[in-house]
Amino acid sequence: MAVPGRRVPDNAPHGLAESELFAVDAYLREFESAVSEVDAEQGRVALRRTAFFPGGGGQPFDIGTLEWADGSSEVTAPVTKVGRDRETGRIWHWLEGGHVPGPDAEVSGVLDWDRRHLTMRTHTALHILCGVIWSEFGLAVTGGNMDPGKGRLDFPFESMSTELGQQVERRINEEIDAAREILVDFVGREVADEDAALIRTSANLIPREIDPLRVIDIVGLDKQADGGTHVRTTGEVGRIRVTKTESKGKGNKRIRLEIVDA
Ligand SMILES: [Zn+2]
């Protein structure tokens, strides 16, 4: 079991802890790495290890900068996009202006931390929303998306009202005030298959070869398989506001929220 505030969960798969740094330490905002592959034509590089989240599960990719020495001069290039190659699993970092380091370069990566941290608060707020809707109404999320500071989720409500939106907003802010611990855990498939919380959040739909599952556990409220980055306690989310409730058709209602001080 992970321990809050600890950099790397004890049971993190070794390869992940060595390469996909965001998966084991959401608070890492600077790192050093060797370049593992250069694609000069597309102005992008892959790194041995990275703290840049490549996007996924509704969470946007990170931006920031890479720095490296080019002869006697230091180059700083904005990272404008990060994405995972579906076939190879490789994480590419696109660099502004097509400046790329050489294949043997050592680079320093720096995240746009304000944007990433706001995204973490937003992502966690959406998991709190999932937990609240499940505990109050027994409904599971069917879809969603987020930007830094705001997001939306869909639930199979028959009807939706402004009052319901206000009730949900109040319940989310209560869970934020409760400052619940949030753990990053890695759970073997056999254990996950027996876990009621993971069953109701459809962890069984994830391909079997992914084992263990990375799990985000808002202790006592919501637990789901998730690749994204989250804050350490619900208190770190700050205040949220439900900005809109809308019908997207029969049995499909959308709730939008935002971080108030974003
Ligand atoms: Zn998530």
Side-chain angles (χ1 to χ4, degrees), residues 123 127 226 230:
H123 197 162
H127 283 216
D226 187 275
H230 291 262

Tab-separated table of all heavy atoms in Angstrom, residues 123 127 226 230, ligand 1:
chain	number	residue	atom	x	y	z
A	123	HIS	N	-8.544	16.796	-11.745
A	123	HIS	CA	-8.748	15.357	-11.922
A	123	HIS	C	-9.282	14.741	-10.623
A	123	HIS	O	-10.234	13.972	-10.629
A	123	HIS	CB	-7.434	14.696	-12.366
A	123	HIS	CG	-7.621	13.334	-12.954
A	123	HIS	ND1	-6.679	12.723	-13.722
A	123	HIS	CD2	-8.657	12.450	-12.872
A	123	HIS	CE1	-7.114	11.527	-14.101
A	123	HIS	NE2	-8.310	11.338	-13.588
A	127	HIS	N	-12.884	12.702	-9.580
A	127	HIS	CA	-13.023	11.423	-8.867
A	127	HIS	C	-13.908	11.590	-7.631
A	127	HIS	O	-14.672	10.678	-7.288
A	127	HIS	CB	-11.655	10.863	-8.474
A	127	HIS	CG	-10.914	10.219	-9.613
A	127	HIS	ND1	-10.125	9.105	-9.451
A	127	HIS	CD2	-10.849	10.538	-10.927
A	127	HIS	CE1	-9.598	8.761	-10.620
A	127	HIS	NE2	-10.019	9.625	-11.529
A	226	ASP	N	-6.618	3.936	-12.773
A	226	ASP	CA	-6.446	5.263	-13.348
A	226	ASP	C	-4.965	5.514	-13.597
A	226	ASP	O	-4.139	5.186	-12.763
A	226	ASP	CB	-6.995	6.293	-12.351
A	226	ASP	CG	-7.038	7.692	-12.905
A	226	ASP	OD1	-6.009	8.398	-12.834
A	226	ASP	OD2	-8.094	8.084	-13.425
A	230	HIS	N	-2.770	12.872	-9.405
A	230	HIS	CA	-3.726	13.381	-8.417
A	230	HIS	C	-3.005	14.042	-7.252
A	230	HIS	O	-1.838	13.754	-6.990
A	230	HIS	CB	-4.587	12.222	-7.892
A	230	HIS	CG	-5.527	11.684	-8.931
A	230	HIS	ND1	-6.844	12.065	-9.001
A	230	HIS	CD2	-5.323	10.839	-9.973
A	230	HIS	CE1	-7.416	11.453	-10.037
A	230	HIS	NE2	-6.516	10.712	-10.635
B	1	ZN	ZN	-9.335	9.599	-13.454
